[in-house]
Amino acid sequence: MTEIAAESVPGRDEHTESEGRDDLPRDRFRRLREGPLGPRLLLLSALVPPLMMLREVLRAPQLHFYDYWWVLLDITGEDGSLRPEALFGFRNEHPFVLPSLLFWLSARFGHGLNHPLGLVVLAFGVGCVLLVPAMLPASLSRWQRAALVVATSTLVFNPHGIHNFVRSMSGASWILAMLLVLGALASMQRGRLLPAVLLGLLASISYGTSFAVWPALSVVGWMRGERRGRVATPMVVGVVVVATWLLLRGPQGGGGSSPTDDPAQALLAGLSMLGMVWTGTEPSLALVAGVAGLAVLALHLPGCLRPEHRAASAPWWGLAVYAAGCAVMISGSRAAFGESAGLQSRYNSMTAALWIAVLVIAVAWARWPGVRSIAVFTTVLSTVALGAPMAQAVREDAPNQDLLAVAAKVGTTDAFTDRFPAPERLLPRLRALGHYPFSDEFTLGCGDDVEIGTRVDTADWRVPSIGSYREPRPAGWDVVLNVETDQVQGGARMLKGWAISGIERARCVAVLDQRGEVVGGGVVDIPRSDAESQTPGIEIGLGYRAVVPADTAGPLRVAFRFPDGWWIRPLTEQPEVVS
């Protein structure tokens, strides 16, 4: 009846119905553009960068990195107990109270695992992103707000800064400091001086670059039209903080081949740090990008100083001052380390601070309204893509850290002196704390109860019979267990080579003594283009590395698990000794 009634309506014809159908997509697009659904869908895309970084964190090694070990040595006794007074020490001249506390909590309650602390750092990054919309001016449209939140998420979780998340010991200082700085700026924006100062103090005991928060807070107060006393208070507190630091800090660092008092070298380090997200590995491009970002800010400054814009733009100029202050400090302290000193992955949080400020100012108080969308879109796509080389370099280092975990487990870290300091002091602490790799989470990944210290029956394991332990298989496939490097470095015997069964790479590697006890192991799935080019059709990742104590008695054997089972071969009884 409805269809019939519709057909009988005067004036209605097929042409009118066709026009109505043609208007449907246009109407839907208009509703999407003008209604709340479109911005909400755009806002959902802000989840993508932290989710991608979450995947990187969960794929990273479980063993902590670098400075974590030095801090752990400082803040624990020989039995692994906490030395509270040591929390107030310095690390490379930096106040390091809050990161040291996080390290202790990770060691004591998190089994010393890298992943849980990495998740905490990830939460700090999410907190940074959530603070930004709380500070955005009310004059922005829903689309603009959503786009700026997406850009912020992209910059905070940019591949350039992967170091801060997969090596959580780094983000525990840098990302935490950024979160506290943003919190201080948000408080100052609302005229809440005391919370701003308290958050600034917490930032200052997280890392030394956070000293730049004090002039940033004063800038915010000045642009908001606060009383002189409230404007001066952050600077006075900052002077006291810096003076206290100068009085209490430890010996100054140094190093590098270039003079630290070279103005050109300092400019290169500082400006390239500000522009690092706009290049892969080129300091010159990063420098140009850093100058461009500062130029954009300078062009927008007169408009933001107008009375009607000063208060709303204040926190973003404070954030820009913070980023510039960080660049000044880094240029003075790190310029000696070469032309790429400003392109370190851990500096991404400060670079992100500058470009978040640039984008908000360029969108909210635009001199060129027509390019606002292009600026945000270009920043999101370009900075993510250009971060790929940095991210890949960090990923390629992961097998070294996994091998260090095995070396620590078997008690011989002589080949890793640059990664694992003072093992005679550190290993007893790790054992006392039940710290990874001395926790239940450690595994060689072999299954079949093949773990360090277990004894296994190898009667059914196969041994290649000819040549360099090579076994011809049906259809022309081979089993090859190659040991190209077998060296003794101090107390460690290091093995390196590649292994293949048919077209399959090894799933794990273990080293056994003559009784069948697992006395060593290592990592597999290491790219070996030289081996892969000789065996067409196989998977990528034929390489392996393994470690075993050099003083292990009797002949040793190295074993590999493949999808079709275990293969094993003996090692030479006279490995090369490297002095």
Side-chain angles (χ1 to χ4, degrees), residues 25-98:
R26 194 177 309 153
D27 291 341
R28 289 172 180 168
F29 177 75
R30 185 175 63 252
R31 287 196 298 270
L32 184 67
R33 184 185 61 193
E34 298 176 359
L37 180 60
R40 288 173 182 171
L41 291 175
L42 177 60
L43 196 58
L44 280 176
S45 65
L47 295 173
V48 174
L51 288 175
M52 295 296 291
M53 195 60 73
L54 173 63
R55 184 183 70 161
E56 297 289 351
V57 169
L58 297 179
R59 292 165 55 182
Q62 281 282 28
L63 191 70
H64 277 296
F65 289 79
Y66 304 112
D67 288 352
Y68 174 89
W69 305 118
W70 289 108
V71 174
L72 195 65
L73 282 170
D74 289 340
I75 65 175
T76 59
E78 294 181 1
D79 60 352
S81 60
L82 176 65
R83 297 173 54 238
E85 71 282 1
L87 292 174
F88 298 92
F90 295 86
R91 179 65 191 149
N92 291 335
E93 299 184 55
H94 290 275
F96 215 66
V97 180
L98 296 187

Side-chain angles (χ1 to χ4, degrees), residues 42 45-46 49 129 132 144-158 352 355-356 359-360 375-377 379-380 383-384:
L42 177 60
S45 65
V129 177
V132 166
Q144 290 170 334
R145 295 178 70 87
L148 288 172
V149 172
V150 171
T152 297
S153 179
T154 302
L155 288 165
V156 170
F157 294 102
N158 199 279
W355 288 97
I356 291 168
L359 287 177
V360 173
V376 175
F377 184 75
T379 300
V380 169
T383 57
V384 170

Side-chain angles (χ1 to χ4, degrees), residues 183-206:
L185 293 173
S187 296
M188 199 68 181
Q189 181 192 24
R190 288 161 173 76
R192 302 174 64 187
L193 178 60
L194 181 58
V197 169
L198 290 176
L199 289 169
L201 289 172
L202 290 175
S204 295
I205 60 173
S206 296

Side-chain angles (χ1 to χ4, degrees), residues 276-295:
M276 62 175 283
V277 292
W278 290 96
T279 183
T281 56
E282 289 296 327
S284 56
L285 292 178
L287 183 146
V288 171
V291 172
L294 295 177

Side-chain angles (χ1 to χ4, degrees), residues 341-516:
L343 302 186
Q344 303 301 310
S345 179
R346 60 184 179 272
Y347 299 156
N348 181 76
S349 59
M350 293 169 292
T351 307
L354 176 75
W355 288 97
I356 291 168
V358 168
L359 287 177
V360 173
I361 290 169
V363 169
W365 301 278
R367 286 178 60 93
W368 310 283
V371 303
R372 289 183 294 190
S373 298
I374 296 174
V376 175
F377 184 75
T378 300
T379 300
V380 169
L381 287 187
S382 300
T383 57
V384 170
L386 289 168
M390 182 75 73
Q392 186 58 30
V394 172
R395 294 188 198 106
E396 288 175 353
D397 183 64
N400 296 320
Q401 197 69 6
D402 287 329
L403 187 61
L404 170 57
V406 179
K409 179 71 173 181
V410 299
T412 176
T413 60
D414 292 11
F416 300 92
T417 54
D418 58 334
R419 291 174 177 264
F420 198 78
E424 70 284 352
R425 296 172 53 214
L426 188 53
L427 288 175
R429 285 168 166 80
L430 300 188
R431 293 189 182 97
L433 286 165
H435 187 296
Y436 187 87
F438 302 100
S439 65
D440 293 339
E441 289 80 7
F442 177 82
T443 178
L444 293 177
C446 296
D448 295 339
D449 198 31
V450 177
E451 299 290 353
I452 301 295
T454 62
R455 184 174 297 183
V456 294
D457 183 2
T458 63
D460 296 332
W461 295 9
R462 292 165 290 180
V463 180
S465 57
I466 64 172
S468 181
Y469 294 97
R470 180 185 186 109
E471 180 76 14
R473 300 286 299 280
W477 299 114
D478 291 337
V479 173
V480 182
L481 311 182
N482 173 267
V483 181
E484 62 184 0
T485 302
D486 185 353
Q487 296 179 336
V488 172
Q489 301 179 29
R493 184 172 179 179
M494 308 296 296
L495 307 174
K496 178 182 176 182
W498 54 274
I500 180 174
S501 176
I503 61 171
E504 300 284 353
R505 64 180 185 268
R507 298 304 190 251
C508 84
V509 58
V511 182
L512 288 74
D513 65 12
Q514 57 187 339
R515 302 173 301 167

